[in-house]
Amino acid sequence: MAVFVALGAFLMTLAGGWTAQRVTDRRHLVLGLAGGLMLGVVGLDLLPEALRAVGREVFGVPAALLLFVAGFLLAHLVERLLAARQAAHGGAEHHQHRAPEVGLTAAAAMVGHSAMDGVAIGAAFQVGGGMGAAVALAVIAHDFADGFNTFTLTSLYGNARRKAVAMLVADALAPVVGAASTAFVRIPEWFLGGYLGLFGGVLLYLAAAEILPEAHHEHPARSTLLCTVAGAAFIWLVVGLAA
């Protein structure tokens, strides 16, 4: 049952990626929407879940929040190192100081997140059918945003379309693989929560430092801002319906 439900997440992820490809003539709107979706996923989905899963504190601060900050700083450090290496080889100007590896790494993190979504579906069905259905609804709904963001992130950093499509397909398959894995292994809740906190920091950095500035760089339109707000509101709606 968990694997069957995860197929819905597979289709929804592909739908999100397909949508991102079809609206390239409104790139600033796509980026504005992607930034809002990423902000909503981090603040309304990943962080609350990470805080619930990792209850311990380290020197008065929840461990999940420390990992969140570590993820943000890690993303910044990796991007700076890759950009510096690219500049040393004379390639920074071509990609506007963006290293393609950053996009691929971010997309790979999205794939990891989707695999964890599949694990969450499988684990929830082990608890009971009602719990499994609730988790599956949340995963399937926000996997549209995952597919949208995976394709957008990969393309934004100058990667070829075939690489963006490959990462999209990997992201779509990940929930199915994750759900199937629960038949053999069970990932500790504290580990899952820690991963979500770290990944949330990475995702917020990319949204705040890369996606949204790019969205407003050439088209500082009110419609772009509205798309960002709509993206965050959509995630809020999804989280509220799944609660």
Side-chain angles (χ1 to χ4, degrees):
M1 176 61 72
V3 175
F4 178 75
V5 170
L7 290 175
F10 169 84
L11 295 175
M12 191 63 78
T13 302
L14 291 181
W18 180 84
T19 301
Q21 294 180 61
R22 299 295 293 180
V23 291
T24 52
D25 58 327
R26 293 288 185 268
R27 185 168 177 268
H28 59 293
L29 298 180
V30 171
L31 294 176
L33 179 62
L37 290 172
M38 291 164 71
L39 175 60
V41 167
V42 172
L44 306 177
D45 186 21
L46 296 184
L47 269 184
E49 182 61 34
L51 288 168
R52 280 193 295 267
V54 186
R56 59 181 297 188
E57 293 186 352
V58 178
F59 204 62
V61 177
L65 291 183
L66 289 175
L67 287 168
F68 171 76
V69 173
F72 189 98
L73 294 175
L74 179 64
H76 179 59
L77 176 63
V78 169
E79 186 189 37
R80 290 299 90 204
L81 289 175
L82 290 174
R85 189 185 71 176
Q86 188 180 42
H89 289 82
E93 190 172 317
H94 178 67
H95 288 301
Q96 299 179 342
H97 303 283
R98 287 190 169 86
E101 296 92 339
V102 173
L104 291 175
T105 301
M110 294 294 295
V111 173
H113 168 54
S114 294
M116 291 296 188
D117 280 346
V119 171
I121 292 175
F125 271 102
Q126 290 177 1
V127 174
M131 175 68 73
V135 172
L137 174 63
V139 169
I140 291 174
H142 87 246
D143 270 357
F144 178 88
D146 284 353
F148 191 98
N149 289 334
T150 297
F151 186 88
T152 301
L153 281 170
T154 309
S155 302
L156 179 65
Y157 282 84
N159 291 285
R161 183 178 181 274
R162 59 183 176 80
K163 290 186 178 181
V165 171
M167 295 307 297
L168 173 63
V169 172
D171 189 46
L173 289 172
V176 181
V177 175
S181 72
T182 58
F184 309 100
V185 296
R186 182 185 292 272
I187 297 179
E189 188 177 20
W190 63 265
F191 180 85
L192 177 60
Y195 171 81
L196 292 178
L198 186 71
F199 174 59
V202 172
L203 208 58
L204 183 63
Y205 175 81
L206 293 175
E210 298 293 332
I211 302 294
L212 291 178
E214 178 70 14
H216 292 276
H217 176 61
E218 295 181 358
H219 298 275
R222 185 176 302 172
S223 57
T224 305
L225 178 60
L226 291 176
C227 283
T228 302
V229 174
F234 172 75
I235 299 299
W236 185 17
L237 176 64
V238 169
V239 172
L241 290 175

